[in-house]
Each structure stands twice: as structure tokens, then as C-alpha cells.
Amino acid sequence: MATERTDVVIVGVGGAGGILAAELSKAGMRVIGLERGPRLKTQDFEPHDELRYFQRQDLRPNWKRQPVTWRTNANGRAAPLQTLNYGAQAGGGTVHYGALSWRMHEDDFRARSATVERYGARAIPEDSSLIDWPLSYADLEPYYDRAEYELGVSGKAGNLKGARIAGGNVFEAPRNRDYPLPPLIPDRSGLIFNEAAQKLGYHPFSSPRAILSQAYKGRAGCTYCGFCQAFGCHVGAKSSILVTKLPEADASGNFKLLTGAMCYRVNSDNSGRATGVSYYGPDGSDNAIEAELVILAPFTYDNTRLLLLSKSAKYPDGLANSSGHLGKHFMTHLRARVQIAFDD
Amino acid sequence: MSKEEESRRAFLKGAAAGAGIVATAGLAPDALAQSRKADAQAMAHMESGGAGHGAFFNIEESATIAAFAERLMPGAPGKPGATDAGVLNYIDLALAGAYSDQQEFYRHGLIQLDAYCRKTHNAAFARLPVAQQDAVITALESGKAEGFAWPSAQAFFNTLRTHTMEGMFADPVYGGNKDFAGWRLVGFPGAQPQFSEAEMQSKQAFTRAPMMGLQAQAKALRGRT
């Protein structure tokens, strides 16, 4: 068993872990990232293949090898979810996602207060644990802005400091400046939808996407191949963490990525402080990392599972679970969709 | 077999496979195709499968799968079906590889299907007239076929349907969609790396020759670097 020492260990180098890896390594800390999947290259995504990536979900976790079970109510039978809508490689879900890049609305941060204001206290079931966020949209605005500019997001502002702009998303919360890149070009279905929606008095707009509509920060613009959701981008125009933040982490000289590494435990001492992690290497070896800072950044299922697996004599119910609420009140990746067939 | 014979066999296999791919992509220089024609035809028939089996299914099972798939995607003159596209070959290879965890699902499903057909129609599925095959398929799809435990009739139908579609429309590199039969059927030109604004906004269906599968595309990429 090999034990390594470092400043920071990050479990899961995806949308959250990849950004932290870049920022902390650039700040001078020695960072080790543990990633259960591989680190793929832009070249890996050409040519595109629907069977491999869409039908067989090659960029998503293998639900047969690492099943996540689900039941619709307490009396139901738990069965494996057959689509796990998050990532299974360095860059995480940002590698295969459709790159829709929404900011939350102001009321999303105050879900309980806003619901009560509009519909009354009785609108929220008594046993609901719905609460407001501890911060507001205004608190986060500068960081939304920074992310859009650092990663590269294409779109058109519809609300600049309170001024509504036709053609943009006039329903969005106020932003301090426009997107760094103009909207992506619509295809025929987009044009038809836009025209019809305008005729009906609606306010259609091009959805903001973390896909480059033109060259940006040394990366090429989109070629409109159409293989976004479920696929990796073959020109690197999708602003995934794989092609944006990980190269920054590499350039710092302080970042080491371990792929095929499955973390199975967070180690802690008697004071309650996390001291590092244990993980299985790609060869099945049992290894440990000791670190000043331990960051857990896998998808919420694996995060919760890791904390529950990390119980000790002092923490018999798992880490970060003094409340007994760990693993409850889940908010996972929901999918609402509408599909429409047009005659022409 | 001598070393020389072995290497000759290996060469012929490679040549046959290569010729098959280039020919389907419509790129074969005539001279090259001519010089290897005899060997290539013989080997392509044996090696490129298309309608065959041999990696997983036995003879009886393959007849059932082929007949079932053909009823789901029936062929007609000028309209390729599951047999033309080599759906059986696709499923046979998938069960020997990527879907090997579903071997028992198929074995149990086929045994149950066979028992159901013999009980209700006194013959194996592949020997039934088309109308009775369709009645069996409908009974599976609606879950009304009796005698199915695991997999359920509906689960077996759904899997066969999904795998038939995969064999029709997945890239030929996986063993189905022979000569792009499925793509031609629905007018899919294959994955394109790029569309112009005019192409995206055109009212005309997009076409671009030659149609290229994954192997031909990968070859083109190698040439580019």
C-alpha cells in the first residue's frame, strides 16, 4: 500500500473538482485529483458514433458495473436507473452535456419565501424540507459572469442591469454585461420555432450555451455537427472542464491527475478532521493520500455514498452526518423535456 | 500450415476486409479492386458476415432472430429490411462482446418464445407463416403471450426491438447496417463533422456523398495528420 502526501486531494475531477483543481494549483498548492474514469482527448471524439455514445452511453457511468438504484416511493421496489446522467471521466458531465448554460432566476435562491409569498404557506407540504439558499442571486452574479467569460458561453443578454433587450432572454435576472460570445446560429427548426413563437406574442431567444460561436481563448469555434448532448466535442468548441480548466491546472505545474482511481473512504482523526483518502488504483492496488485539504466533488450519489462509507468509531453514522440528514432531501439531475414533430 | 501459408491467409483477410470497406465507401480505384476481385469476393462472403452468425447464436436461434428482426423491419423491393442490413450479424457479434451480460437473457427468452410458438401454433417461430409470426410478436409486445417468466414477454420484445434498430442503423463497423442499408432507408447521410449556415437552414434534405462509416472516416483522419 502506497501513501502519498500532498496539500490538497480532490475526489472527482469534473465540473466542480476540475475548477477547484485549476484554482488551487494556480494558487500554489500541490493538488492531486482522483478520477475513477479516464482522461480523454478531443481527438478521441472524432468520428462521432451514435451507438457508442448515445445508445450505449459510453461517456456516462456504467449502470451495470456501478448501479444506482431508485424507487418512486418508500414501498416500491428499488431498481437500477438505466441512464446515469452525469460523467464518468475527467471533466465529468461537462464532457457529454448539451452545454445549456443557464443562470438561476432570483426566486430560485428563495424557493420557500417566494413560494409562500405567491401561493401562501399552505402551498408547501408540512413535511417538506424546502429552504431558501443562504445566498442570493446578487451575491453570485459576479461568479456567473466570471464563469461565462473564463469558460466561453455564447448567448444574447435580455436583461442588462435591469434594461430589457429584445431578442435576448427578457425574463432573466439582471446581468452586469453581455455574454462573451454572440449566440450560436439557429438551424431550420430553430428558425421555424422562433417565427411561430414571435407570431404568438412570445419572446423566443437563442438559449445560452457553453459552446463557442467563434474562436475564443485559443479554442476553435463550433462546426455545427449536431453531436453535442451525449457526445464529446471533436473540435473542442464545447467549453467542457476537460478543455478549459484542466489545461490551466496542468500549466500550474502543481497538479497531478490519477485516472482509474476509485476512492472508497475519507480518513479522519479523532478531532473530526479529514486527514486524507483511501482509493483503489487501476491495478486494484490499495493506496492512500494524506492531505491538508480533502475535497469531495463526485456526483451527489457518490458523494453521499463516500461519506456514509467513511464511518469511524467516532463517527458511526458516517462523516458530515451529525444531523442524521445525510443522503436525504436529494436534489439530483432532473430532466423535463418536450418533443415536437413539425410537418415541414 | 506453413508460415508462408499463414501470412498469405492473413494478407487475404486484410485485403478482403479492406476492399470491402473501400468499396462500400465508393472510393476503390478500379485497378486495385480488379486485381483482388476474385479473392476479395470469396473472402468478403466468408468474413464480412452481414447476414451471418457464428459468434454466439446456434443455427436454430439464429433462424429465430433473423425471422423476428425481419418482421420488425420487413424488406421489400427497393426497401432494405433487417435481413438485408445484417441485423442478425449485429446481434450475434454484440452478444459475443459488448452485450455478453445479456446472453442468458437471450437464451431464456428464446426458449420461452419457442415453447410459446409450439404451444400456440405447433411450430418454431421461423417456420410460421408471416401472419402468425406477427400475431406472436403482437402477443409479446402487449404482454399477452403466456408462459414467460424471465425475461417477461414484453422485456424480451423490447430488447429484440432495440437491438434490431441498432443493427439496422448503427455504424456498419458493428456488423449491421450492411452497405448502409439502414441509413439509405431513412436518408441519413452519416455523421458529418461540419455544417454550414446555409446547409443548416436549408429546406432541402441534406445529402453528401460518399457516405462514410467509422472506418472510412478514421482512415480519412489518418490521411489528414
Side-chain angles (χ1 to χ4, degrees):
Chain A
M1 174 167 148
T3 299
E4 212 170 341
R5 289 198 58 82
T6 186
D7 297 328
V8 184
V9 64
I10 301 176
V11 181
V13 188
I19 290 174
L20 288 163
E23 297 307 316
L24 297 176
S25 62
K26 286 192 291 183
M29 300 173 98
R30 291 174 303 144
V31 179
I32 296 178
L34 292 183
E35 173 53 53
R36 69 175 171 179
R39 180 176 185 165
L40 300 171
K41 299 180 179 70
T42 293
Q43 191 188 62
D44 290 321
F45 305 127
E46 188 172 17
H48 291 295
D49 178 4
E50 292 186 282
L51 185 73
R52 177 176 178 182
Y53 294 111
F54 196 90
Q55 185 73 358
R56 295 183 178 172
Q57 306 175 22
D58 209 38
L59 293 175
R60 292 178 179 159
N62 185 321
W63 67 271
K64 289 174 182 168
R65 215 178 292 156
Q66 291 163 344
V68 172
T69 58
W70 170 271
R71 50 184 173 165
T72 45
N73 61 61
N75 301 320
R77 181 171 169 267
L81 292 168
Q82 299 196 3
T83 299
L84 298 176
N85 210 0
Y86 49 104
Q89 65 281 315
T94 69
V95 175
H96 79 249
Y97 82 145
L100 283 166
S101 196
W102 302 108
R103 294 180 174 196
M104 295 214 297
H105 290 282
E106 286 161 307
D107 279 355
D108 293 333
F109 291 86
R110 13 186 336 270
R112 175 170 279 271
S113 310
T115 304
V116 169
E117 279 164 25
R118 182 155 184 178
Y119 301 105
R122 293 213 322 225
I124 299 174
E126 236 170 73
D127 59 351
S128 167
S129 53
L130 181 69
I131 55 168
D132 291 350
W133 281 56
L135 38 78
S136 69
Y137 171 80
D139 294 329
L140 264 192
E141 204 284 336
Y143 302 96
Y144 276 131
D145 180 278
R146 183 176 164 188
E148 286 165 0
Y149 274 75
E150 284 197 18
L151 304 179
V153 176
S154 303
K156 179 176 164 63
N159 182 351
L160 265 183
K161 297 177 181 173
R164 309 287 169 170
I165 298 162
N169 176 9
V170 295
F171 304 106
E172 72 178 343
R175 50 174 58 246
N176 271 316
R177 55 175 170 168
D178 207 338
Y179 289 96
L181 294 152
L184 289 153
I185 299 168
D187 66 7
R188 176 122 199 96
S189 64
L191 294 178
I192 292 170
F193 187 88
N194 190 61
E195 194 188 324
Q198 275 185 342
K199 256 189 220 165
L200 293 168
Y202 294 118
H203 302 82
F205 58 91
S206 176
S207 55
R209 274 161 284 174
I211 298 173
L212 305 183
S213 55
Q214 48 191 243
Y216 187 71
K217 292 194 168 191
R219 290 162 44 218
C222 176
T223 61
Y224 298 94
C225 71
F227 292 92
C228 299
Q229 200 268 116
F231 300 88
C233 181
H234 74 290
V235 292
K238 190 193 288 182
S239 299
S240 71
I241 296 304
L242 182 63
V243 299
T244 53
K245 302 307 283 187
L246 291 190
E248 288 180 24
D250 292 336
S252 74
N254 291 325
F255 175 58
K256 181 162 83 171
L257 177 67
L258 301 178
T259 55
M262 188 70 184
C263 180
Y264 67 88
R265 183 181 167 82
V266 178
N267 298 312
S268 56
D269 63 20
N270 278 331
S271 74
R273 197 176 160 77
T275 56
V277 299
S278 295
Y279 71 96
Y280 295 116
D283 58 351
S285 59
D286 190 353
N287 312 284
I289 293 173
E290 291 174 1
E292 294 298 310
L293 188 57
V294 177
I295 296 173
L296 300 186
F299 193 68
T300 183
Y301 302 140
D302 291 300
N303 220 350
T304 303
R305 181 167 156 270
L306 252 184
L307 290 167
L308 290 171
L309 281 173
S310 302
K311 60 189 173 194
S312 64
K314 190 173 169 67
Y315 301 104
D317 298 325
L319 296 182
N321 195 22
S322 59
S323 65
H325 285 263
L326 178 63
K328 296 174 178 167
H329 323 283
F330 255 140
M331 175 61 82
T332 179
H333 188 149
L334 300 175
R335 280 179 296 167
R337 60 173 66 183
V338 177
Q339 290 179 330
I340 305 169
F342 295 98
D343 285 338
D344 52 347
Chain B
M1 197 189 305
S2 73
K3 276 255 157 69
E4 286 73 12
E5 278 168 341
E6 271 178 15
S7 70
R8 177 174 155 73
R9 278 174 66 89
F11 168 75
L12 283 176
K13 278 187 189 180
I21 292 148
V22 173
T24 48
L27 295 171
D30 281 350
L32 180 71
Q34 284 295 331
S35 69
R36 293 176 179 167
K37 198 174 171 188
D39 282 341
Q41 276 181 345
M43 296 301 292
H45 182 69
M46 286 189 288
E47 300 292 336
S48 74
H53 69 103
F56 176 70
F57 291 123
N58 67 28
I59 292 167
E60 206 175 301
E61 291 165 341
S62 69
T64 305
I65 296 294
F68 202 105
E70 181 66 15
R71 287 316 301 154
L72 295 179
M73 289 300 294
K79 180 173 165 277
T83 304
D84 303 310
V87 167
L88 169 64
N89 190 54
Y90 166 80
I91 300 177
D92 189 55
L93 291 176
L95 287 171
Y99 298 161
S100 59
D101 61 310
Q102 294 177 58
Q103 289 182 355
E104 279 307 287
F105 180 97
Y106 263 86
R107 285 198 183 99
H108 283 250
L110 285 164
I111 288 168
Q112 295 179 123
L113 172 62
D114 192 57
Y116 175 76
C117 290
R118 288 178 196 280
K119 195 177 167 197
T120 49
H121 301 290
N122 296 313
F125 183 85
R127 294 184 178 278
L128 297 177
V130 164
Q132 289 186 356
Q133 288 181 338
D134 288 354
V136 169
I137 291 174
T138 304
L140 257 63
E141 182 181 12
S142 61
K144 285 177 184 154
E146 286 175 5
F148 281 75
W150 181 83
S152 72
Q154 279 173 315
F156 192 51
F157 168 83
N158 287 336
T159 298
L160 275 176
R161 182 189 174 280
T162 298
H163 291 175
T164 297
M165 294 309 143
E166 290 178 0
M168 278 303 294
F169 301 112
D171 192 278
V173 77
Y174 296 102
N177 191 10
K178 191 171 187 237
D179 298 332
F180 304 112
W183 291 1
R184 291 183 203 282
L185 183 67
V186 296
F188 178 59
Q192 305 290 320
Q194 185 161 12
F195 286 105
S196 68
E197 183 171 353
E199 286 166 344
M200 283 199 292
Q201 300 184 346
S202 167
K203 289 183 179 178
Q204 303 301 315
F206 178 85
T207 52
R208 182 183 289 163
M211 200 177 272
M212 284 168 80
L214 288 171
Q215 287 192 340
Q217 284 198 53
K219 199 171 169 186
L221 288 174
R222 276 205 309 278
R224 200 176 68 188
T225 52

